[in-house]
Amino acid sequence: EAAVTQSPRNKVTVTGGNVTLSCRQTNSHNYMYWYRQDTGHGLRLIHYSYGAGNLQIGDVPDGYKATRTTQEDFFLLLELASPSQTSLYFCASSGQGPNERLFFGHGTKLSVL
Amino acid sequence: QQKVQQSPESLIVPEGGMASLNCTSSDRNVDYFWWYRQHSGKSPKMLMSIFSNGEKEEGRFTVHLNKASLHTSLHIRDSQPSDSALYLCAASRTGNTGKLIFGLGTTLQVQP
């Protein structure tokens, strides 16, 4: 089973704070993704990447930055966090090709007070 | 409006019963359909995928796809309490690796 590890598992910050969520995959996958999951909205794609140094904008990118430093590591940055960013964040990775499944990390629960 | 719509929103079936979940895409450019299962407090895991018209069976799970109507369905026979979970349907386009559009899901509860 492919391995995707997220940190931290839980994070609490205040409005206006800076937050960095980390994700590492050891699957040798080219593609990595950041999703947020919210009741009533489901899973929504924030940013994704094809490889180190590459960044693609997802469907709900406002308020988020991301950086892919290596093939293994993908970071999600929240500068000036807002309560609307309180959510469950999932990182995922996949191989190249439209028929490749996503492997998800265990998630990071973020609360912005 | 959700581009991938799932029904029903929730479903209760008795242990040993059949569960049927539905999913339709309003995006006519999608080519691939996926079913992910998410147990409470866990991350989604791919359950089944289907890319061609017809039917695919894996154990107790059967998935159907009608590409003309962009409708897929998942059927679980001999449902078990361990099948209780959120079932997420997703669709993607050729050339958009991993850029899945997820539905809101169907919550399945299997009662012993």
Side-chain angles (χ1 to χ4, degrees), chain B residues 8-22:
Chain B
E9 188 174 315
S10 61
L11 181 63
I12 300 174
V13 300
E15 184 174 355
M18 171 75 84
S20 294
L21 292 68
N22 296 291

Side-chain angles (χ1 to χ4, degrees), chain B residues 28-88:
Chain B
R28 299 214 60 85
N29 295 312
V30 298
D31 299 292
Y32 301 90
F33 289 85
W34 312 78
W35 287 93
Y36 283 76
R37 182 167 71 178
Q38 184 177 18
H39 286 105
S40 181
K42 303 293 186 182
S43 60
K45 284 185 168 55
M46 203 275 286
L47 185 63
M48 292 189 74
S49 60
I50 187 162
F51 310 140
S52 303
N53 273 326
E55 177 182 299
K56 184 176 174 182
E57 182 178 331
E58 293 180 0
R60 297 184 294 110
F61 300 88
T62 301
V63 63
H64 295 265
L65 175 61
N66 181 327
K67 283 194 134 179
S69 60
L70 297 175
H71 179 262
T72 180
S73 58
L74 174 68
H75 305 273
I76 308 171
R77 62 175 172 82
D78 189 24
S79 296
Q80 300 299 306
S82 58
D83 294 326
S84 297
L86 177 66
Y87 288 79
L88 297 164

Side-chain angles (χ1 to χ4, degrees), chain A residues 33-91:
Chain A
Y33 315 84
W34 279 106
Y35 282 87
R36 61 178 289 176
Q37 186 173 36
D38 305 283
T39 302
H41 293 281
L43 274 162
R44 292 179 291 175
L45 182 64
I46 304 170
H47 290 299
Y48 62 109
S49 169
Y50 297 156
N54 176 267
L55 181 65
Q56 302 294 317
I57 295 173
D59 299 319
V60 289
D62 293 346
Y64 301 96
K65 293 183 180 180
T67 181
R68 179 92 176 268
T69 54
T70 65
Q71 185 179 30
E72 294 79 19
D73 297 302
F74 196 29
F75 300 92
L76 186 67
L77 294 78
L78 288 72
E79 298 174 346
L80 300 176
S82 72
S84 64
Q85 294 176 306
T86 293
S87 187
L88 179 59
Y89 291 86
F90 285 105
C91 176

